[in-house]
Amino acid sequence: MRNLIFDIDGTLLDSVDLHAAAWAEAFRAFGIEVPQAEIRGQIGKGGDQLMPVFVPPERLEREGEAIETFRSELFTREYLPKVRPFPGVRALFERLKAEGHVLALASSGKADEVERYQEIAGIRDLVDVATNSDEAERSKPHPDIFQAALARLGHPSRGQAVVIGDSPYDAEAAGRAGVPVIGVLCGGFPEAQLSEAGCTAIYRDVQDLLDGYDRSPLRRGLP
């Protein structure tokens, strides 16, 4: 398991509730009332997959781009400064680099967001590859973003790459890309939902993964 592909939101950064709040505020600005709790269950998808859940097709075609632009600017301005890393993120990345792993980030976020995320997490100097929404035609649960990361990693052979993510959409996308996935619960999705989506192992958070590294699939491989 030399190549490790990390989701960012809800996996490395405590940002899921902030994204949900930004979407709810953006929808309200366009006269669309959606409970934040309902939006939260869709975080992990990009806007192209999230908006159709709440916006009728004809309105999505007419105003979808404007809603997404409003949401993106709102998040960057009001919510991004509140994002914090989960405990243990840099320590985990330092351990993984010391063990010889190649570290990639795969996010549905825009390029500037992914750059800022690396700064917030304090891992810019430890990341080998970072992909963003510009490299994927469709966001999770489609496999595009993980396929882009695999291409940037040189198309590692089966068994040489694994995804670490917090949402069932990560697991579904990874499965479609032919890559196993390790789940973390810090994004707020239930353990049963992650298992059902295909996670081969589940940890509380990245600190738990670091603490259990020697017994983890990252060290021992998958059965």
Side-chain angles (χ1 to χ4, degrees):
M1 290 294 174
R2 182 168 182 263
N3 301 276
L4 310 183
I5 305 172
F6 285 85
D7 169 61
I8 301 176
D9 289 303
T11 301
L12 304 178
L13 300 180
D14 188 2
S15 55
V16 173
D17 286 322
L18 296 172
H19 277 292
W23 274 112
E25 186 174 344
F27 284 143
R28 280 197 303 274
F30 285 82
I32 303 168
E33 290 292 336
V34 183
Q36 186 173 322
E38 291 186 21
I39 298 172
R40 196 190 194 287
Q42 299 295 320
I43 300 300
K45 299 177 178 179
D48 62 313
Q49 301 300 312
L50 184 150
M51 282 194 291
V53 177
F54 305 110
V55 183
E58 65 280 0
R59 189 164 185 191
L60 185 63
E61 183 175 355
R62 187 175 65 251
E63 296 182 277
E65 186 174 343
I67 295 171
E68 167 61 19
T69 299
F70 183 95
R71 192 253 6 135
S72 179
E73 293 175 352
L74 173 68
F75 182 82
T76 300
R77 184 177 65 252
E78 301 292 338
Y79 293 93
L80 186 58
K82 302 176 184 179
V83 174
R84 297 292 181 270
F86 287 116
V89 171
R90 181 169 178 88
L92 174 64
F93 273 51
E94 288 176 336
R95 174 68 184 274
L96 296 174
K97 290 295 287 187
E99 295 284 340
H101 292 292
V102 178
L103 306 181
L105 303 179
S107 171
S108 298
K110 299 183 184 303
D112 57 345
E113 291 177 354
V114 175
E115 285 290 320
R116 180 72 180 114
Y117 286 158
Q118 292 180 70
E119 295 176 3
I120 293 170
I123 56 174
R124 179 187 292 277
D125 59 317
L126 301 172
V127 173
D128 297 292
V129 168
T131 60
N132 59 70
S133 59
D134 291 339
E135 300 174 66
E137 183 176 345
R138 303 163 300 175
S139 68
K140 305 165 190 172
H142 294 285
D144 303 31
I145 195 67
F146 291 137
Q147 290 171 336
L150 291 168
R152 295 273 296 276
L153 291 168
H155 298 287
S157 59
R158 191 172 185 85
Q160 286 296 307
V162 65
V163 164
I164 299 93
D166 72 294
S167 77
Y169 315 118
D170 292 317
E172 292 168 24
R176 292 171 181 173
V179 183
V181 61
I182 294 171
V184 289
L185 298 171
C186 45
F189 287 93
E191 183 172 357
Q193 195 172 354
L194 296 183
S195 294
E196 184 178 348
C199 290
T200 57
I202 297 175
Y203 292 82
R204 288 192 309 275
D205 49 29
V206 291
Q207 183 65 57
D208 189 31
L209 182 56
L210 173 61
D211 293 342
Y213 175 80
D214 288 335
R215 301 177 302 280
S216 76
L218 303 184
R219 165 60 70 82
R220 295 176 175 267
L222 291 167

